[in-house]
Amino acid sequence: MKKIKSLLLLITCIIITSSCSDNNGVDNLTDKELLSKKSWIFNKFEFLSSSFNPHNFTPENFEDRVNTVYKDLSITFNSDETGKIKSSNINKTFTWKLVDNKLTMTLPNPTEPTDDVVDYILSINDTEMQLKMIDSFTLFIQNKEVNAKGIQYYK
């Protein structure tokens, strides 16, 4: 009888142990949930390519310029697919859509007849968000217009 009780206790322990989740108390959130979990703070820009660079600026020139302009930038994604971009010189609202890993952000542009639409390939986890640009964007280095494509890293 003692052996049967010990065997039943052992089986019960095995069942309880195997039925517990193995996520260490961390929920498996979807990418949409991770986006809206917190405000994302800009960390760095990594240059990938340029479609217009007649002045032969280096990748470091591009990275330095974007890192300087975005240094205090934060992005907040709300669960209702609206959001806000803020920094010392930017305060814009936007809407967003995420389909698979393609993030589309639409920013109202009051000076143009159409809104600005920017597409990214999103990689995200609890601690880092990467926005890989699908199209180039225009920026100015030493007052000269150029285009760049890269990855924006947020934490």
Side-chain angles (χ1 to χ4, degrees):
M1 185 70 158
K2 189 174 182 180
K3 287 183 181 182
I4 292 175
K5 284 183 181 180
S6 295
L7 183 59
L8 286 173
L9 181 61
L10 179 62
I11 291 172
T12 303
C13 288
I14 291 171
I15 290 171
I16 290 172
T17 303
S18 65
S19 66
C20 292
S21 69
D22 192 24
N23 65 3
N24 296 326
V26 176
D27 295 329
N28 292 325
L29 300 177
T30 66
D31 287 351
K32 284 185 178 184
E33 291 168 328
L34 286 169
L35 274 174
S36 60
K37 183 178 177 180
K38 65 177 191 172
S39 289
W40 294 93
I41 309 300
F42 178 78
N43 187 30
K44 68 178 179 175
F45 175 79
E46 178 184 337
F47 174 81
L48 294 178
S49 65
S50 176
S51 59
F52 180 71
N53 182 14
H55 312 288
N56 296 318
F57 289 114
T58 67
E60 291 79 17
N61 294 134
F62 284 96
E63 290 173 357
D64 289 346
R65 180 66 182 144
V66 175
N67 288 331
T68 299
V69 172
Y70 285 17
K71 71 178 180 256
D72 62 345
L73 186 90
S74 69
I75 301 179
T76 303
F77 295 88
N78 301 317
S79 59
D80 66 354
E81 296 185 346
T82 62
K84 185 168 264 198
I85 298 173
K86 291 177 75 174
S87 73
S88 57
N89 57 358
I90 299 171
N91 190 2
K92 289 189 171 194
T93 59
F94 63 92
T95 59
W96 61 276
K97 295 275 185 220
L98 181 62
V99 178
D100 297 324
N101 67 336
K102 182 182 175 189
L103 174 66
T104 300
M105 295 173 61
T106 304
L107 293 89
N109 189 339
T111 62
E112 297 289 330
T114 59
D115 294 335
D116 293 328
V117 178
V118 186
D119 293 316
Y120 300 96
I121 301 299
L122 173 73
S123 297
I124 192 167
N125 61 41
D126 278 337
T127 60
E128 183 178 69
M129 174 177 70
Q130 296 177 16
L131 300 177
K132 181 178 181 181
M133 304 171 78
I134 293 176
D135 299 312
S136 295
F137 72 105
T138 301
L139 71 147
F140 291 87
I141 300 175
Q142 299 169 3
N143 295 323
K144 296 177 178 153
E145 184 177 327
V146 292
N147 290 340
K149 190 184 328 187
I151 302 173
Q152 298 172 26
Y153 293 87
Y154 294 82
K155 51 184 177 165

